[in-house]
Amino acid sequence: MIDLKLLQKDFQSLSAKLMRKGVDAALLENLKNKNEELKIAKINFETLQAAQNAMSKEFGVYKREGKDISELKAKVDANKIEITKALDIQREKQEELENIAMAIPNVPDDSVADGEDEDDNVELKKVLTPKEFNFTPKEHWELAEENGWIDFERGVKLATSRFSVSFGMGARLERALINFMLDFNRSRGFDEVSVPALVNRTALEGTGQLPKFEDDLYKMDGLELFLIPTAEVPVTNLYQDEILSADELPKKMTAYTSCFRKEAGAAGRDTRGMIRQHQFHKVELVALAKPEESEKIFDEMVACASDILTALELPHRLVDLCTGDLGFSAAHTTDIEVWLPGQNTYREISSISNTREFQARRAKIRFKDGKKNSMVHTLNGSSLAVGRTLVAIMENYQNEDGSIDIPEVLKPYLGI
């Protein structure tokens, strides 16, 4: 959640930064008005409370001096009723303000480029040179079906569209990739954790998926439980509503989970193949850090994900997202896009984000900073999306006869 103290201190500066991310000026003005209403409600409550304290002292004097207290008692009783009403109004105004604030995205870093969409993102660098084929490379769904690695029709039979079933070497490669990625991340200092695939509403509010993106989530009927859209949600929320010691930071974690998304806003996009599935496997990086360390850890996370692709000998590029393409919770994001020769383009395979204090404020994750409690910075990123990595291997390691070679670093995981 945005810093409401900053809203009070400098509304113009905060609103200007949020409008860079496409936040409507009318919504910001409403936020400002609700904040003013809350301030007035607090002042009214505090005034009544002060009057109550004064009358209580006077009440004691009257009793000691033997004066008639009936009139004063009537005033005290009437004021108590007004205090209760004022407290109810204050709570109502607080809830109204927080409901609006929960729907407002994070403030982008000043270094983030202005832009409307992915066409305005800024390429940072390319890593490895794409292979030149002496034949027309096929797309992954052709290769998957030819080699019997993935069956899309049986996925539909078992569930619905955008589900698939992996067989044989396809299934083995998915497992090998998961183990390779987890081992690689642990070698870079990220502790492995295993977390539930179901989380409650509070956890999703903490990382910013709710309330804005509820239509993209799978919800359990009759329960306030949701299938996770990413391991970022349960791993970040491991420390929800806790105060950590400074010595505990940074906390660097990695987790493998299946992820579930309705992709409600992606109709017609990537309907063939494994690029945009309702269920997919992913290895995630999550970090909780002191504010002064978060940028360094962000760079470590980008390097970790990029180096996995380099180890797999998959060409890729790093791209900084512009304001128009930046996610709801992110202050700064670097995407990693892998080269897909079958599509003759780079496609996103990882997204590393620094959310600064945004998620920590929502999830109440703090650390003891000297004598005071401060918000941690939270970071997250794919390392990597397993299905998309398998897609990249199929397309980059294909041969003219349709067979697919295996990356050297994965052979020990396959017993080859």
Side-chain angles (χ1 to χ4, degrees):
M1 192 161 63
I2 60 169
D3 188 348
L4 295 177
K5 290 181 180 178
L6 186 59
L7 173 73
Q8 296 170 355
K9 184 179 178 182
D10 193 352
F11 173 76
Q12 290 304 123
S13 176
L14 180 65
S15 59
K17 290 179 179 182
L18 286 168
M19 282 192 283
R20 291 181 63 217
K21 211 171 180 179
V23 180
D24 186 69
L27 178 60
L28 291 168
E29 194 62 35
N30 190 24
L31 182 71
K32 180 184 179 183
N33 293 337
K34 291 298 179 185
N35 189 57
E36 290 300 320
E37 289 175 12
L38 176 60
K39 283 170 65 177
I40 292 168
K42 283 182 175 180
I43 290 170
N44 188 36
F45 171 75
E46 289 165 2
T47 300
L48 290 167
Q49 189 74 56
Q52 189 76 3
N53 293 337
M55 284 189 288
S56 295
K57 290 179 182 178
E58 195 175 359
F59 195 80
V61 173
Y62 273 37
K63 290 187 77 172
R64 283 197 302 272
E65 295 179 354
K67 293 181 179 180
D68 181 10
I69 61 171
S70 56
E71 185 178 344
L72 181 59
K73 185 177 183 302
K75 287 183 180 179
V76 169
D77 291 344
N79 197 62
K80 281 182 180 178
I81 295 171
E82 292 304 311
I83 286 176
T84 301
K85 290 179 181 177
L87 185 58
D88 287 342
I89 292 171
Q90 181 181 316
R91 287 171 177 162
E92 179 185 323
K93 295 302 178 184
Q94 181 76 38
E95 185 176 346
E96 289 175 358
L97 176 64
E98 289 183 358
N99 284 343
I100 297 172
M102 288 287 276
I104 290 178
N106 197 1
V107 176
D109 285 352
D110 291 340
S111 61
V112 175
D114 287 328
E116 293 185 7
D117 53 35
E118 61 187 21
D119 293 333
D120 296 318
N121 292 339
V122 180
E123 182 181 294
L124 301 176
K125 67 175 180 178
K126 286 188 172 76
V127 180
L128 303 180
T129 303
K131 174 183 175 181
E132 291 188 12
F133 291 86
N134 57 9
F135 59 92
T136 301
K138 297 177 180 178
E139 296 200 45
H140 74 276
W141 58 77
E142 298 176 79
L143 295 162
E145 290 172 344
E146 286 179 15
N147 286 273
W149 286 13
I150 301 166
D151 192 318
F152 299 103
E153 289 183 5
R154 283 187 168 85
V156 174
K157 180 168 70 172
L158 292 175
T160 184
S161 60
R162 299 197 185 188
F163 286 88
S164 61
V165 178
S166 298
F167 284 94
M169 183 56 77
R172 291 177 64 200
L173 268 171
E174 284 186 342
R175 181 159 52 91
L177 281 167
I178 291 164
N179 288 332
F180 169 64
M181 291 172 186
L182 288 172
D183 288 346
F184 194 99
N185 293 342
R186 283 193 302 107
S187 75
R188 294 294 179 92
F190 292 85
D191 294 327
E192 187 173 345
V193 297
S194 181
V195 291
L198 285 165
V199 291
N200 56 34
R201 181 174 291 274
T202 301
L204 287 155
E205 287 175 346
T207 43
Q209 281 78 15
L210 290 179
K212 187 174 177 63
F213 302 106
E214 187 157 353
D215 287 346
D216 280 330
L217 302 173
Y218 286 99
K219 186 177 185 295
M220 302 287 286
D221 284 344
L223 296 171
E224 283 296 287
L225 289 174
F226 300 78
L227 287 167
I228 60 171
T230 165
E232 165 200 343
V233 180
V235 178
T236 303
N237 278 281
L238 285 171
Y239 298 94
Q240 174 198 121
D241 202 15
E242 292 188 26
I243 300 173
L244 305 170
S245 69
D247 293 340
E248 292 180 84
L249 298 176
K251 284 191 176 293
K252 297 161 63 178
M253 297 164 283
T254 185
Y256 153 70
T257 62
S258 286
C259 306
F260 305 85
R261 297 179 192 172
K262 289 182 181 177
E263 298 285 2
R269 296 182 63 190
D270 300 311
T271 53
R272 294 194 67 181
M274 294 183 67
I275 294 294
R276 201 173 292 275
Q277 296 265 285
H278 291 310
Q279 177 184 349
F280 56 97
H281 305 306
K282 187 152 69 82
V283 175
E284 189 80 1
L285 297 174
V286 171
L288 311 181
K290 298 174 186 175
E292 64 270 21
E293 295 178 337
S294 70
E295 202 58 32
K296 172 179 171 288
I297 292 171
F298 176 82
D299 292 339
E300 289 177 9
M301 292 169 69
V302 172
C304 184
S306 174
D307 289 348
I308 288 176
L309 289 171
T310 300
L312 291 166
E313 299 181 66
L314 293 172
H316 57 281
R317 67 174 186 168
L318 275 58
V319 177
D320 259 3
L321 300 194
C322 69
T323 53
D325 203 26
L326 204 58
F328 180 83
S329 296
H332 174 208
T333 297
T334 295
D335 271 8
I336 301 176
E337 299 177 349
V338 69
W339 175 252
L340 298 182
Q343 296 187 23
N344 194 38
T345 191
Y346 288 94
R347 296 298 302 268
E348 179 199 334
I349 196 169
S350 173
S351 197
I352 313 288
S353 296
N354 191 341
T355 78
R356 306 294 179 186
E357 297 180 2
F358 186 80
Q359 290 180 333
R361 186 171 289 107
R362 295 167 76 104
K364 299 182 179 66
I365 309 173
R366 296 143 291 172
F367 75 102
K368 185 67 72 174
D369 185 11
K371 293 183 179 180
K372 63 186 178 77
N373 296 330
S374 297
M375 296 292 174
V376 302
H377 279 194
T378 67
L379 304 95
N380 63 80
S382 310
S383 183
L384 300 159
V386 176
R388 293 192 182 198
T389 308
L390 182 58
V391 165
I393 288 171
M394 285 189 279
E395 293 200 10
N396 283 277
Y397 280 85
Q398 65 179 292
N399 299 306
E400 189 169 7
D401 63 1
S403 62
I404 302 166
D405 295 330
I406 304 297
E408 287 297 321
V409 293
L410 294 183
K411 289 181 178 178
Y413 290 89
L414 296 163
I416 297 175

